[in-house]
Structures are given as structure tokens and as C-alpha cells.
Amino acid sequence: MSIDGSRSRQAFQSRSAEGQVDYFVGPDGHQTHNPELHVHVIHKAEGKVTLEITNRRDKTRSSQIELESPDGNQVRDAELALAEILRSLQ
């Protein structure tokens, strides 16, 4: 619960005016708001999806995957593969 009594934000998600959508996936494979260790998923307006592990504890980005016009199952499979790597970094 947030300070004003509304539901607290459970996950980071951003949408740009150009149609780009960003969100974070945590080690459990679900969307998260944790900025320290996450998979950053970036859906570009033209259909390309980029996924990368962001570790702000040691200031690194790694294990980048780029998908050209993927379907939802391909994106989810990539999210889960990188979430598995996140679990090994905890």
C-alpha cells in the first residue's frame, strides 16, 4: 500500500510517445519494480524486442538478446531464460 492509500506499484513499465514499451522482469520471471537486478525488456514500435540483464549493484549490463518481430511466446521464452541467469546472480 502506498502512502496515499492507493495500491503500490508492483512493476516498472514505461511507454513513450514513439510507441516504445519498456518493463523489468525479475528473477522469478514476473514483472518487477526492482531497479537493482532485472531483465530490461524493450519493445520498439517497429517490432524489434531487446532484452538484457541489468545489474546496478556492479553497474553492468549483459546477456543481451535481440529478437526481430517475435511472437509473444518467443519474448516470454527469452524473458524466462534471462530470469534463470538472474537467479544465479542473486
Side-chain angles (χ1 to χ4, degrees), residues 3 7 15 20 22 24-25 30-31 34 36 43-45 47 55-57 59-61 66 73-74 76 82-84:
I3 293 172
R7 227 176 137 212
R15 296 177 188 270
Q20 178 172 304
D22 296 57
F24 297 165
V25 173
H30 298 290
Q31 287 193 22
N34 181 358
E36 295 299 313
H43 291 261
K44 302 276 187 172
N55 184 346
R56 291 190 180 157
R57 296 177 300 188
K59 298 178 175 74
T60 61
R61 292 183 179 193
E66 293 200 10
N73 290 329
Q74 292 168 314
R76 187 67 183 138
L82 292 179
E84 186 173 340

Side-chain angles (χ1 to χ4, degrees), residues 52-65:
E52 67 183 9
I53 290 178
T54 301
N55 184 346
R56 291 190 180 157
R57 296 177 300 188
D58 66 5
K59 298 178 175 74
T60 61
R61 292 183 179 193
S62 62
S63 302
Q64 188 175 77
I65 296 174

Side-chain angles (χ1 to χ4, degrees), residues 3-87:
I3 293 172
D4 66 0
S6 64
R7 227 176 137 212
S8 61
R9 197 159 91 176
Q10 300 298 312
F12 167 79
Q13 189 172 86
S14 171
R15 296 177 188 270
S16 73
E18 296 80 34
Q20 178 172 304
V21 177
D22 296 57
Y23 57 89
F24 297 165
V25 173
D28 63 357
H30 298 290
Q31 287 193 22
T32 184
H33 193 263
N34 181 358
E36 295 299 313
L37 183 65
H38 60 268
V39 176
H40 189 169
V41 184
I42 305 162
H43 291 261
K44 302 276 187 172
E46 69 274 3
K48 181 175 162 183
V49 178
T50 302
L51 304 94
E52 67 183 9
I53 290 178
T54 301
N55 184 346
R56 291 190 180 157
R57 296 177 300 188
D58 66 5
K59 298 178 175 74
T60 61
R61 292 183 179 193
S62 62
S63 302
Q64 188 175 77
I65 296 174
E66 293 200 10
L67 304 170
E68 297 289 333
S69 302
D71 65 32
N73 290 329
Q74 292 168 314
V75 173
R76 187 67 183 138
D77 287 347
E79 289 173 353
L80 292 174
L82 292 179
E84 186 173 340
I85 294 170
L86 283 182
R87 287 191 293 277

